[in-house]
Amino acid sequence: MDSSRQAEAVVSPRASFLSGLRTGSGLAAASFLLAVSFGAISTSHGWGHLAPVICSMAVFSGSAQFALLAALGSGGGPAGAVLSAALINSRFIPMGIAVAGDLRGGRFRRALEGQAVVDGSWAAAHLGGGRFDRYLLFGATAIQWPAWAAGTALGVVVSPDPDLLHRLGLDVLTPALFLALLFDEVRRERINRLPALLGAVIAAGLIVFLPAGPALVGAALAALVALFRTPARHRQADETDETTAADTTEAAEPADMPERALRSARSDEEVAP
């Protein structure tokens, strides 16, 4: 049996949710600091006090929100800014497709549960073999969303220097946490090593010509390698499970033979006059 199925059977929903809260706490701390910076920058750009907080509560995506800020700050129109943010958030389409099989309920409930799909939570909830722990996903997101909204509100009220995080070196916290999640994912499954290496090479090549955001989006193409390799891996796992089940059945048959012979003898005695 696949290890992801065994883990799913053993761990209770409550334990998974609590594990998600613990996993998401580090991401929430980094998100809080980044949100403070977003609140300060958006206020300095004339967004006012309410718009940044509403944006953080509704969008809940640091990369998209900073892209929105950059586009508007460089003189771009609202349509171009929204398009820029939408392109960055397009990464959630394949991520949502990947986790869709582990969501529950009808369309509305599944759409609601899908709102928990954010980068860090999605990576932490992956069990391997294309399976996800939905309760861990919920827990990791449940602690990050209020931290992101609260950090934005604090940045709007306090309005610190937007470059403060860079001067203190705190802007590296979020990339460091994602790098830790990546190392854990690569160590857990060997099939993920080639896409991770290929993604790093693509990102390193694209960042010479493109900003960091588009370079990372382009690096996501490396995931197609795992997509094409996964079916073969699943077929091999299914064949292994079938072979194990057959061996178990054959091993059990000799032990059942005496009992079968006894039942047959009793039947013959009942039929005989």
Side-chain angles (χ1 to χ4, degrees):
M1 182 180 291
D2 191 79
S3 60
S4 64
R5 297 177 184 174
Q6 290 179 343
E8 186 179 13
V10 172
V11 181
S12 67
R14 182 176 181 273
S16 292
F17 185 83
L18 294 176
S19 177
L21 290 177
R22 290 190 295 269
T23 302
S25 60
L27 295 169
S31 298
F32 179 83
L33 295 173
L34 191 62
V36 172
S37 179
F38 171 76
I41 297 174
S42 58
T43 302
S44 66
H45 280 61
W47 281 36
H49 291 79
L50 190 59
V53 179
I54 294 177
C55 181
S56 286
M57 294 177 66
V59 180
F60 186 33
S61 173
S63 55
Q65 290 175 226
F66 279 104
L68 198 65
L69 270 177
L72 292 175
S74 61
V82 171
L83 179 61
S84 176
L87 287 175
I88 291 180
N89 271 0
S90 64
R91 69 188 186 278
F92 290 120
I93 296 176
M95 291 168 63
I97 293 174
V99 78
D102 293 291
L103 303 181
R104 299 291 182 268
R107 292 182 178 179
F108 178 77
R109 179 180 173 182
R110 290 164 68 86
L112 187 62
E113 291 187 355
Q115 301 308 305
V117 177
V118 294
D119 298 307
S121 303
W122 184 86
H126 188 219
L127 296 172
R131 299 296 306 277
F132 291 84
D133 187 334
R134 57 196 288 265
Y135 290 103
L136 193 149
L137 177 74
F138 299 157
T141 301
I143 193 172
Q144 290 183 73
W145 183 80
W148 180 255
T152 303
L154 181 62
V156 168
V157 174
V158 179
S159 296
D161 185 349
D163 294 330
L164 181 61
L165 290 180
H166 297 280
R167 289 203 300 267
L168 296 178
L170 298 177
D171 54 313
V172 303
L173 287 178
T174 299
L177 287 170
F178 278 109
L179 190 62
L181 290 173
L182 177 62
F183 282 148
D184 182 67
E185 187 71 18
V186 170
R187 185 174 62 252
R188 187 186 306 167
E189 284 195 281
R190 184 176 299 177
I191 193 175
N192 295 323
R193 296 176 183 175
L194 178 60
L197 178 61
L198 184 59
V201 172
I202 294 175
L206 291 178
I207 205 167
V208 178
F209 310 99
L210 299 174
L216 291 177
V217 172
L221 294 174
L224 295 175
V225 175
L227 181 64
F228 290 127
R229 294 178 64 189
T230 298
R233 181 177 180 272
H234 284 175
R235 284 195 299 270
Q236 183 179 2
D238 292 340
E239 292 174 358
T240 302
D241 291 342
E242 292 175 1
T243 303
T244 303
D247 293 342
T248 303
T249 304
E250 292 176 0
E253 285 181 355
D256 295 339
M257 289 179 63
E259 185 177 352
R260 293 177 183 175
L262 182 59
R263 286 199 300 268
S264 177
R266 289 178 178 174
S267 299
D268 293 341
E269 291 176 358
E270 292 175 357
V271 173

